């Protein structure tokens, strides 16, 4: 499958990884829109929120919980979580990702 984020997961494309476990990867956005801009992704290829299945309910909850954990570890004093869905929703990369943005 020709997916950039799957290639990042498989280390075929390099990225600035800030967190990794068996189910998730988090790395710095290559074109940050804020002083802190991380992307948190499931290792399972899910194209977008629109492609979630019943079996992904737990995974999507864990994704949000991981964002909270990363924000705590980085001592972020407030942050934004964004998910773009579909081309008209601003989604460019077709592998579900959570943007974590913060000023510090
Ligand atoms: P979206 O518009 O929600 O699909 O966001 C895709 C994000 O991926 C954008 O913020 C891009 O800057 C970011 N991005 C694209 N290529 C890379 C890459 N190779 N490494 C890290 N971030 C990337
Ligand atoms: Zn993928």
């Amino acid at each position: 499958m020709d997916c950039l984020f799957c290639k990042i997961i498989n280390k075929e494309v390099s990225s600035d990884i800030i967190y990794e476990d068996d189910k998730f990867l988090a790395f710095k956005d290559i074109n940050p829109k804020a002083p802190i801009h991380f992307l948190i992704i499931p290792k399972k290829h899910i194209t977008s929120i629109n492609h979630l299945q019943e079996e992904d309910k737990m995974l999507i909850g864990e994704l949000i919980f991981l964002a909270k954990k990363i924000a705590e570890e980085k001592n972020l004093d407030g942050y934004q979580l964004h998910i773009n869905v579909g081309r008209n929703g601003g989604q460019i990369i077709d592998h579900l990702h959570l943007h974590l943005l913060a000023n510090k």
Side-chain angles (χ1 to χ4, degrees):
M1 188 188 305
D2 193 26
C3 169
L4 175 63
F5 285 179
C6 281
K7 286 180 181 161
I8 285 178
I9 290 163
N10 294 328
K11 314 284 164 62
E12 294 163 40
V13 170
S14 66
S15 68
D16 199 342
I17 294 171
I18 60 143
Y19 177 88
E20 180 166 18
D21 65 23
D22 56 332
K23 283 192 247 179
F24 299 99
L25 187 71
F27 51 98
K28 292 183 181 174
D29 194 293
I30 205 167
N31 182 21
K33 318 277 186 307
I36 289 176
H37 188 172
F38 303 141
L39 299 173
I40 311 173
I41 66 175
K43 289 188 170 177
K44 176 182 178 184
H45 179 92
I46 300 170
T47 301
S48 79
I49 289 284
N50 278 343
H51 296 76
L52 284 176
Q53 300 183 344
E54 287 287 325
E55 66 192 29
D56 301 318
K57 277 182 178 173
M58 187 72 87
L59 192 72
I60 208 74
E62 288 172 347
L63 179 71
I64 302 286
F65 203 83
L66 176 56
K68 170 185 179 276
K69 185 175 153 187
I70 289 172
E72 276 170 4
E73 280 174 2
K74 301 286 182 186
N75 288 313
L76 300 184
D77 179 22
Y79 53 96
Q80 296 179 359
L81 298 177
H82 293 174
I83 300 180
N84 297 323
V85 186
R87 287 291 170 274
N88 289 335
Q91 184 176 3
I92 294 164
I93 309 283
D94 290 334
H95 181 126
L96 196 156
H97 50 283
L98 180 63
H99 295 259
L100 192 163
L101 301 123
N103 290 321
K104 155 64 194 89

